Amino acid sequence: MDKISKIFSKILPIYWAFLTYMLLKPGEENHEYWFMFSGIDKVLHLGIFAALGFSFIAAFPRIKFSYFFQIILIYAFLTEILQEEMGLGRSMEALDIVADTIGCLIGYFTYRVLVKRFL
């Protein structure tokens, strides 16, 4: 498990920086692709926060769940507040925070199940 932690401790800051950039860059609506539908942003929030939660717990497997959850939730709230305050075509949405929360929990529990099953 130490090997996995070392790998993810290198991946996590890169992913987190990329995620922050993507969440805070100017927003643009694009409906010309076949896979675009109403609510796709919630699905994307769920997926990207599942990856964040998985990467975070893989990098810090000994962290208490409450600390893990607080860190990810604070980040989710901060990015939503910044989206609203920066005025770049993005807005703060409570459902995004719900999707972020569910996503990080999916990532956390996916990691725990995989560790239990394979290690």
Side-chain angles (χ1 to χ4, degrees):
M1 193 153 65
D2 243 5
K3 203 175 213 179
I4 294 170
S5 294
K6 286 180 183 179
I7 292 168
F8 276 95
S9 67
K10 291 177 182 169
I11 293 171
L12 179 63
I14 296 165
Y15 179 68
W16 212 328
F18 174 73
L19 181 56
T20 302
Y21 167 75
M22 294 304 290
L23 288 170
L24 298 179
K25 74 181 191 123
E28 53 189 65
E29 290 291 321
N30 194 339
H31 297 284
E32 64 186 61
Y33 297 107
W34 64 268
F35 57 84
M36 300 304 268
F37 58 89
S38 178
I40 192 169
D41 64 319
K42 305 308 177 263
V43 174
L44 293 172
H45 273 265
L46 189 107
I48 61 180
F49 272 80
L52 179 63
F54 186 93
S55 299
F56 190 90
I57 197 62
F60 303 103
R62 292 181 182 88
I63 193 170
K64 287 184 176 182
F65 175 77
S66 61
Y67 295 155
F68 161 84
F69 193 65
Q70 289 173 32
I71 290 166
I72 301 291
L73 214 52
I74 289 168
Y75 176 72
F77 273 99
L78 271 175
T79 56
E80 286 301 314
I81 291 167
L82 287 171
Q83 283 178 357
E84 183 72 27
E85 294 300 316
M86 291 173 69
L88 297 173
R90 300 216 175 221
S91 61
M92 186 169 139
E93 293 183 39
L95 286 179
D96 285 349
I97 295 171
V98 171
D100 298 345
T101 302
I102 294 168
C104 87
L105 292 173
I106 289 171
Y108 178 89
F109 289 111
T110 300
Y111 175 81
R112 291 293 183 209
V113 166
L114 289 175
V115 165
K116 193 179 256 188
R117 176 167 274 168
F118 295 110
L119 294 180

